[in-house]
Amino acid sequence: MAARSAPGRVRALDYVAAVTVKAGGRTLPLGGVALPNRRLVLRWLRRQALRLADGHGRGPVPAAAPWLGARDVRPVTFHGSDAPEALRAWAGDHGRQDHAMSALESGRPALLTVVDPFVGLCVTLGGWPVDLCGWAAASANHPYPPRTVAEEV
């Protein structure tokens, strides 16, 4: 996708999606990907939201769980059912998906934060556009960040 950053100047946009968890004053990344377009960002975020919600009530996940894909985030343990239900509701709400798509299209981040009030756990799913070409030009001595090729689901 291309977007105009200045009159007559076109810059390439890529997107980043990530999931973080905050508990006890610490924020930890659960995983993330770089993707070529906003539709794939939303698809990845919906998949992670459903995976996190569906993992509610399961025991600890072994490091080599066969159902844990290489690009999937690690599950978290929720202590109540409100957070998993909020994740499912967001993933299935077409209006909220359209709103997230519009935010990404206009260059703003699309964020969803759910809270498990029993333990103060906050899980944030986010996607935002990133100007990788501009980043690379400003950081000529650094290689491009790794990019994950999207798989069709």
Side-chain angles (χ1 to χ4, degrees):
M1 173 179 177
R4 299 218 179 263
S5 58
R9 203 171 126 201
V10 176
R11 63 184 173 96
L13 288 180
D14 277 324
Y15 294 83
V16 174
V19 179
T20 58
V21 62
K22 183 176 181 179
R26 291 179 43 195
T27 301
L28 302 169
L30 294 178
V33 294
L35 297 163
N37 66 59
R38 61 187 178 272
R39 291 194 188 286
L40 292 175
V41 166
L42 285 179
R43 182 183 298 170
W44 187 84
L45 289 173
R46 279 193 308 269
R47 176 180 169 157
Q48 302 316 309
L50 292 172
R51 286 190 66 262
L52 289 168
D54 292 345
H56 177 63
R58 288 188 186 169
V61 178
W67 50 267
L68 186 61
R71 295 172 5 129
D72 289 332
V73 299
R74 300 296 300 175
V76 296
T77 302
F78 294 106
H79 297 277
S81 62
D82 291 344
E85 288 308 313
L87 289 166
R88 281 188 193 92
W90 179 82
D93 185 329
H94 294 295
R96 292 171 78 183
Q97 298 301 310
D98 289 343
H99 184 265
M101 185 70 73
S102 294
L104 292 171
E105 186 174 31
S106 67
R108 296 185 326 267
L111 299 171
L112 168 70
T113 298
V114 295
V115 178
D116 185 346
F118 293 104
V119 292
L121 179 77
C122 296
V123 176
T124 300
L125 291 86
W128 56 95
V130 178
D131 180 359
L132 293 178
C133 292
W135 176 84
S139 309
N141 295 329
H142 301 285
Y144 282 97
R147 181 172 171 152
T148 304
V149 177
E151 61 191 59
E152 292 298 319
V153 178

